[in-house]
Structures are given as structure tokens and as C-alpha cells.
Amino acid sequence: METTALTLLILLVAILYSSVGHGGASGYLAVLSLFAFPAKEASTTALVLNVIVSGIAFCNFTGAGFLNRKTALPFLLGSVPAAFLGGYFPIHQAVFDGLLACAFVAAAFRMLLPLNETPVDKLKSPKSLILSMIGASIGALSGVVGIGGGVILSPVLLFFRWATIKQTAAIAALFILANSLAGLVGRLVSGQLLLGNLTPMIAVAILGGWLGSSNAAKRFAPVQIKYLLAIVLLIAAIRGVTRIIQ
């Protein structure tokens, strides 16, 4: 029963996150924390699933012509080295729990935000250095906690009007894919790559990633599911804060 519930929640997370170009790591971490997975195994598992789902989302959104390479490249140049370093250096459990709780709250807030579209002719063109600095900051956090950073990057892109909603999805998918791979390599090099039985989770992640992102290339994800996931994330954040206090 527990395994069934776990795989169904992973499927739900993959469908929802991939529909906006995300890999779902913050959602997977929330789910895994509810099932008492060890921190290092949970964060590594989330990165693996993130690579799979964000890779599928990237293919679907890029294939539909939504990737803006001029905006995406500076983010990657700053984020990938930072994500590697974040994944390489181990951190104290209490610090990990605190950062993870913050990531959950940020992800939940992102799920509750309305998606405000900006016409292409109203988009702004920021300097590459600014994009790289933002990318490095998000990448460092991503590598440490075990997320791809899309839940932070997407609101930034939309708030500053640097990309349309679907361009944001394509950029976020590439950003998450690259950062997740860098974080995994960092953990591998430092001997922190701890994995359990991933077969059921990988199977449903592939299915969910394809269903969410392929449909989202034409339409958006249901709002009701976004709100449900936001609740799960907030519950996981409260659990993380409770562990710190204890």
C-alpha cells in the first residue's frame, strides 16, 4: 500500500511539474520526506527523477519551438559550475533541513502564483552578466538541496518579463536538466551518490513527464492539481521545520 501511494504521488508530481517545464525535484523531495526517506538518498533520488522528467519536458517544449537560446545560455554558464560545487560539498543535516524547508515554501508559493503572460513584443532583454549571476545563485542552492532550481527560475523570468510562459517552460527545463546532471556528478565525485530501488519511480516519472509536457505544449496544467501539490509542499516544509526544532 505504501509503495502504491508513493508511486502515485510521484506520477502526480511528474505530470504537474512537467506541464510547466519543471523536473519536479521539490515535489519528489516533499513526497519522499513524507515517507521518511533518508536525506541523502532522497535528494539523490530527486535529482535522478529530475533529469528524466526535465529531459522529456525539454524535448517537448523545444520541439514546439519555445526555447530562447539567447536567454537560456547565460543562465547555464553561471548555474552549472555552481550546481556541481553545491552537490560536491556535504552539509550538516540541520542546514539541509532548513534549506529544504525554504525550497518547499518557495515551490508552494510558485504553485499558487497565477501565470501572467507577456506578449513577445513586450519582453525585455537583460544583460548576460545579470543572468549568469542569478543562474549561479540558483545553481548553488540546487546542488546542495537536490533540486533543479526551476521553481525559483520560472517566477524570475515571468516577473521581470524576460520570457513568455512557454518560453519560460523551455528555458526552465534545460536549466533543470543541466543543473540536476551537474549536481549528480558532484555527488558522484564526492562519494555521496546514494540510491535505493528506483525502478517503479523511474517508470511513473517517464509516464508523468511525457503526459504533462506533451499536453502542456498545447494547453496548461489544471489549476486544481497545482493547489493540491502546494498543500503537500507546505506539509513537507512544516515537517522539515519540526525536525530542525527537535
Side-chain angles (χ1 to χ4, degrees), residues 178-189:
N179 283 343
S180 299
L181 286 171
L184 283 172
V185 172
R187 287 163 191 257
L188 176 63
V189 173

Side-chain angles (χ1 to χ4, degrees), residues 3 6 19 28 38 47 63 68 94 101 111 122 126 130 139 154 160 172 177 183 186 205 208 228:
T3 302
L6 174 62
S19 69
Y28 306 136
L47 282 175
N68 184 334
M111 291 296 103
K122 301 283 187 181
I130 294 176
S154 291
F160 289 106
L177 175 60
L228 287 174

Side-chain angles (χ1 to χ4, degrees), residues 21 29 41 53 66 71-72 93 124 128 145 173 175 201 224 245:
L29 285 169
E41 181 180 337
V53 176
F66 293 114
T71 302
Q93 181 66 45
K124 300 178 181 179
S128 296
V145 179
F175 184 85
M201 289 185 278
Q224 293 84 354
I245 295 174

Side-chain angles (χ1 to χ4, degrees), residues 108-162:
F109 183 68
R110 168 68 180 86
M111 291 296 103
L112 295 172
L113 282 176
L115 293 173
N116 297 317
E117 180 68 285
T118 300
V120 176
D121 60 349
K122 301 283 187 181
L123 293 178
K124 300 178 181 179
S125 299
K127 294 182 178 180
S128 296
L129 179 59
I130 294 176
L131 299 183
S132 294
M133 292 175 63
I134 293 173
S137 301
I138 300 174
L141 175 63
S142 302
V144 169
V145 179
I147 63 175
V151 294
I152 304 173
L153 176 65
S154 291
V156 170
L157 288 170
L158 294 173
F159 179 80
F160 289 106
R161 298 183 179 182
W162 291 341

